[in-house]
Amino acid sequence: MRVIADLHIHSRFSRATSQNMNLEEIDRYAQIKGLSVVGTGDFTHPLWTKELKTELEPLEDTGLYVLRSGNKRVSFMMTTELSTIFDLNGKTKKVHHVILSPSIEVAEQISDRIEKFGDLSSDGRPILSISAPELVELIMETSPANLIFPAHAWTPWFSVLAANFGFDSIEECYGDASDRIFALETGLSSDPRMNWRLSKLDRYTLVSNSDSHSAWPWRMGREANVFELQRPTFEEIVDTIRKKDGSRLRFTIETDPAYGKYHWTGHRNCGVSMSPRQAIAVKNICPKCHRPLTKGVEQRVEELSDRPEGCQPQGVPGFVSLLPLSEVIAAVISVEQPSSPRVWQVYNKLITKFGSEYSVLLDSDPEALREVVEADLAEAIMRVRENRVKVAPGYDGVYGKIELLARSAGRAKKQGRTNVGLEQFI
């Protein structure tokens, strides 16, 4: 069966997160999006843990949970993100990590063991004064069933391969504990195509998650993992990731990396954004304020890569590049915000007809689309599916801007994207 999983989100107890990120809202919008499994996020926060224990119940012997008051269509996995800040060789390092755990009991044991390194009640994603290798050892000593991997691996400020405060390799970060790292999260500003340019990343499973701070469908599930499993269980999902099993992890759902907030190099306050070549030409100095630019993910990948663009290792899971349906609708009807009632009106018509956002974006028949919405929107949805939508790259914390223009087939092919629907993978 097809299982679509978003394993990295946040609760309302994380900073800069919507107060509507409670279990009922997460469950509701996960169904609208088309998610089968969603992470709880923030299981180290004591108040969130209390809600998880009260509002969720185990789903038989799967290691997953369901909402007691819900219809049990969405399963929850115990997950959290931890921030580690530590010094190494006289330099400060800042790395975020995602942890997947097999039960609430194990999650509580993790909290008990890490509370001496930071204030768990201060944030759903707490800051810990512990090195990355020490954290891995602690997590795996708590239970060998746990899985830990670097979050949003390329984000400029808080990630394993960050241009600022990061490392040049996974091994440099995790040291002797590197053999217990089996995956890395691509993040919004990169996709598998970009990561395939580094041969030293070949042994890791590339996973994609939303890191959502809001339940809105243009945030939650904007990136996800598509599994083909006989039965969705914690053990089966984690085993698939550990073994980089392409027969079970069929592909990931990615936003166009240009949509991410850190794809290109730039300065938000100065309104300056640059491609890697342009940034290198000005020595990464802003032409307006003459301060260092925030180095984008594309430039960072270029610095560390040892392969040309378009290289794809054999046997790796593929990916589908999408954009949130609400954002596409807003672009077509010329509305600034995807939260506009005009957008919701169109969005709800499509969900009523096709069942979920993923079904609209990946499975819907063009003729059936035109029966529900105007021809220009139906065409835009097909362009998203076929990677014929241009995105002005995001930079320095600014999301990319969708431009509904045709993209040549040659460019799409060069970028190595998968231009097919779900049915051709499963």
Side-chain angles (χ1 to χ4, degrees):
M1 64 181 294
R2 178 197 299 173
V3 176
I4 306 181
D6 181 358
L7 303 176
H8 178 189
I9 69 167
H10 289 280
S11 74
R12 68 184 187 281
F13 294 103
S14 278
R15 294 173 186 171
T17 299
S18 167
Q19 288 302 299
N20 289 330
M21 282 298 267
N22 56 61
L23 289 167
E24 287 189 357
E25 289 294 282
I26 293 170
D27 183 84
R28 175 190 174 196
Y29 282 103
Q31 293 181 57
I32 292 172
K33 194 76 179 190
L35 290 165
S36 314
V37 179
V38 64
T40 61
D42 301 352
F43 69 55
T44 59
H45 195 283
L47 295 180
W48 187 236
T49 301
K50 183 178 179 180
E51 291 189 21
L52 297 179
K53 294 175 71 174
T54 302
E55 298 183 29
L56 296 180
E57 62 183 12
L59 180 61
E60 300 172 348
D61 58 348
T62 63
L64 304 175
Y65 294 78
V66 291
L67 195 64
R68 292 182 190 274
S69 59
N71 56 24
K72 300 176 174 52
R73 293 177 183 171
V74 173
S75 300
F76 287 84
M77 180 185 291
M78 293 295 130
T79 67
T80 196
E81 181 183 7
L82 301 176
S83 173
T84 56
I85 300 179
F86 56 99
D87 290 334
L88 183 67
N89 298 326
K91 295 183 178 180
T92 298
K93 301 295 182 179
K94 301 179 180 181
V95 182
H96 288 186
H97 320 261
V98 176
I99 292 91
L100 314 182
S101 289
S103 68
I104 289 180
E105 292 74 21
V106 171
E108 288 186 294
Q109 291 170 23
I110 289 174
S111 297
D112 290 342
R113 298 194 65 180
I114 65 173
E115 62 181 355
K116 62 183 178 182
F117 300 106
D119 182 1
L120 303 188
S121 64
S122 66
D123 189 10
R125 182 188 60 203
I127 298 173
L128 306 179
S129 299
I130 183 176
S131 72
E134 290 173 320
L135 179 65
V136 173
E137 293 299 332
L138 184 152
I139 295 298
M140 299 312 297
E141 284 174 2
T142 304
S143 171
N146 289 323
L147 184 70
I148 179 171
F149 54 85
H152 41 72
W154 295 93
T155 303
W157 302 104
F158 299 98
S159 68
V160 62
L161 299 174
N164 305 303
F165 308 115
F167 298 84
D168 289 345
S169 71
I170 307 296
E171 291 75 16
E172 186 183 350
C173 174
Y174 290 101
D176 292 341
S178 297
D179 61 350
R180 310 186 88 169
I181 302 296
F182 296 93
L184 65 84
E185 186 179 69
T186 58
L188 293 183
S189 294
S190 89
D191 62 12
R193 169 187 59 86
M194 297 168 68
N195 288 265
W196 291 336
R197 295 191 62 193
L198 281 73
S199 61
K200 58 190 174 185
L201 298 183
D202 284 355
R203 81 175 187 86
Y204 302 101
T205 302
L206 302 179
V207 296
S208 295
N209 303 292
S210 69
D211 193 6
S212 180
H213 289 58
S214 164
W216 298 132
W218 55 91
R219 293 287 183 259
M220 195 162 68
R222 58 191 168 182
E223 297 204 325
N225 311 279
V226 180
F227 299 90
E228 179 67 16
L229 306 173
Q230 290 188 350
R231 183 184 184 214
T233 68
F234 175 88
E235 182 178 1
E236 188 82 358
I237 290 172
V238 168
D239 185 65
T240 298
I241 296 172
R242 282 201 178 112
K243 293 179 178 177
K244 197 178 179 180
D245 186 348
S247 67
R248 290 183 289 174
L249 176 56
R250 302 308 301 273
F251 60 98
T252 56
I253 295 173
E254 311 275 340
T255 61
D256 186 317
Y259 180 78
K261 295 192 292 184
Y262 294 100
H263 187 64
W264 265 13
T265 298
H267 252 180
R268 172 171 41 184
N269 291 340
C270 296
V272 171
S273 67
M274 296 183 176
S275 69
R277 181 177 297 179
Q278 292 170 323
I280 292 169
V282 299
K283 299 181 180 179
N284 290 322
I285 298 298
C286 178
K288 288 191 176 180
C289 70
H290 308 293
R291 296 178 180 177
L293 296 163
T294 299
K295 188 178 294 184
V297 169
E298 188 169 70
Q299 184 176 347
R300 180 63 170 160
V301 169
E302 191 68 39
E303 289 177 350
L304 299 182
S305 65
D306 59 349
R307 289 172 173 159
E309 287 189 54
C311 180
Q312 180 172 346
Q314 290 187 342
V316 295
F319 71 98
V320 171
S321 184
L322 296 178
L323 290 164
L325 179 59
S326 301
E327 301 273 13
V328 176
I329 296 171
V332 171
I333 66 175
S334 300
V335 171
E336 283 293 324
Q337 298 297 329
S339 57
S340 164
R342 289 179 61 199
V343 173
W344 276 115
Q345 183 179 23
V346 178
Y347 184 92
N348 288 335
K349 286 172 62 177
L350 287 165
I351 301 306
T352 299
K353 171 67 176 180
F354 297 103
S356 74
E357 178 171 329
Y358 290 141
S359 294
V360 173
L361 291 173
L362 291 163
D363 296 330
S364 58
D365 178 76
E367 289 301 322
L369 279 174
R370 283 188 280 269
E371 292 176 1
V372 180
V373 296
E374 297 293 333
D376 55 351
L377 177 55
E379 171 62 17
I381 291 170
M382 296 310 297
R383 286 186 177 188
V384 169
R385 185 182 302 178
E386 297 165 2
N387 299 307
R388 294 188 290 117
V389 174
K390 183 179 179 181
V391 179
Y395 64 97
D396 195 20
V398 178
Y399 279 109
K401 185 175 179 59
I402 300 172
E403 299 174 356
L404 291 173
L405 301 173
R407 170 179 288 168
S408 71
R411 181 179 176 189
K413 183 177 181 181
K414 180 181 177 182
Q415 291 185 339
R417 294 184 178 169
T418 305
N419 297 330
V420 293
L422 288 173
E423 71 281 352
Q424 293 186 240
F425 282 92
I426 296 174

